[in-house]
Amino acid sequence: MSTARRIRPSGSSPEAGAGLRLSGVHREFSGRAVIEDLDLDIRRGEFLALLGPSGCGKSTLLRLIAGLDRPDAGRLSLGDDIRRLAYVFQDASLMPWRTVLGNVALPLELAGTPRAERDPAARRWLENVGLAEAAERYPNELSGGMKMRVSLARALVNQPTLLLLDEPFAALDEFTRQHLDELLQSLWQVHAMTVIFVTHSLMEAVFLADRVVMLAARGGRLLADRTVELGRPRTRATRTSVEFNRTVELLSAMLHEGWDSP
């Protein structure tokens, strides 16, 4: 499912140019640290990929940023430019009794936007994700990739300045996944959002991100933080380039070295 809500910065804002800042953020469950004293700055308009093994705290970190959970210690500050956020989960979670158009328009409906405004806005976003012709269809008539595009349109209809994605393409076949990676890149470039994208795929992270942050297997500690030095836009040819594969190999070595350490 995807959700969008208005948010306010807590405490002082990050320095100019920063989208959000985590300072000493700590979260534990049943006495076990899931996020341990994490410091992280994310710049406004940056596309950041968050990598790590299952259970390392990636989803917990997204929930903390979204305000769906609270840290046990530390501070999370959102920039003044972050007025709306949207959260896209791995499961598209569309309402089966609503048409595609009705699903995309739902956040605007909940915000009290008149139908005369929300339906045209929803149609524009369906066109943006290549599904204008599917507006009157129902979710059970869509493929997995189409459902995820509807979920993206629903998340973006409120024009968020911060977009959080928790492995949204993980269940899709590789061809569809690559197509949606390219779509997401183009939407990000056009609409200038700050994006935090959780993935298990090194290749997906390198293709999409300006920067890759890796969390350690235990305790949610920062294992590595590396800028991706590849030009934009990235295309299918990027995936077979020497620079792309060299970056994937370098990050893979860093991941294995960090996860093998005690």
Side-chain angles (χ1 to χ4, degrees), residues 13-21 41-44 79-81:
S13 300
E15 64 190 26
L20 58 152
R21 168 172 291 169
D41 283 0
I42 301 170
R43 294 181 294 276
R44 182 174 62 238
D80 291 329
D81 59 302

Side-chain angles (χ1 to χ4, degrees), residues 42-258:
I42 301 170
R43 294 181 294 276
R44 182 174 62 238
E46 184 172 38
F47 198 122
L48 183 135
L50 190 60
L51 276 169
S54 296
C56 74
K58 302 185 301 298
S59 294
T60 297
L61 184 55
L62 283 195
R63 289 177 59 81
L64 291 171
I65 292 170
L68 300 176
D69 192 10
R70 293 180 177 271
D72 296 304
R75 187 185 189 93
L76 194 154
S77 302
L78 302 176
D80 291 329
D81 59 302
I82 300 177
R83 296 180 180 86
R84 291 178 299 277
L85 73 78
Y87 198 138
V88 180
F89 299 90
Q90 185 172 337
D91 185 347
S93 296
L94 304 177
M95 294 183 175
W97 59 88
R98 278 183 171 254
T99 63
V100 165
L101 181 68
N103 271 282
V104 174
L106 180 60
L108 296 176
E109 182 178 339
L110 294 175
T113 304
R115 184 165 189 171
E117 297 177 26
R118 67 177 185 257
D119 281 2
R123 289 186 188 279
R124 284 194 299 273
W125 274 103
L126 283 172
E127 184 174 356
N128 286 341
V129 300
L131 286 177
E133 79 290 346
E136 304 307 323
R137 295 167 69 179
Y138 286 86
N140 66 352
E141 301 176 77
L142 307 179
S143 68
M146 293 171 74
K147 288 177 183 177
M148 191 49 66
R149 281 191 278 165
V150 175
S151 183
L152 272 175
R154 180 175 61 185
L156 296 172
V157 73
N158 261 338
Q159 300 182 63
T161 49
L162 174 61
L163 179 63
L164 308 176
L165 303 108
D166 195 355
E167 297 189 75
F169 310 146
L172 303 176
D173 64 86
E174 188 62 22
F175 178 83
T176 302
R177 186 170 183 158
Q178 290 187 13
H179 174 72
L180 290 181
D181 285 345
E182 293 168 17
L183 172 63
L184 178 59
Q185 176 189 222
S186 66
L187 292 172
W188 166 72
Q189 288 185 296
V190 170
H191 298 283
M193 302 167 284
T194 302
V195 176
I196 305 176
F197 185 94
V198 168
T199 179
H200 279 107
S201 169
L202 271 170
M203 296 185 72
E204 185 170 57
V206 171
F207 182 82
L208 285 170
D210 295 322
R211 185 171 148 222
V212 176
V213 166
M214 295 178 279
L215 298 182
R218 293 179 295 277
R221 294 175 291 103
L222 191 64
L223 178 64
D225 184 344
R226 188 169 184 88
T227 300
V228 178
E229 302 288 354
L230 295 172
R232 301 278 189 184
R234 296 171 193 167
T235 65
R236 294 177 189 177
T238 302
R239 299 179 189 272
T240 58
S241 69
V242 172
E243 295 83 0
F244 178 86
N245 286 284
R246 184 182 294 129
T247 304
V248 171
E249 289 173 8
L250 175 62
L251 289 174
S252 179
M254 295 171 69
L255 281 169
H256 286 291
E257 180 181 352

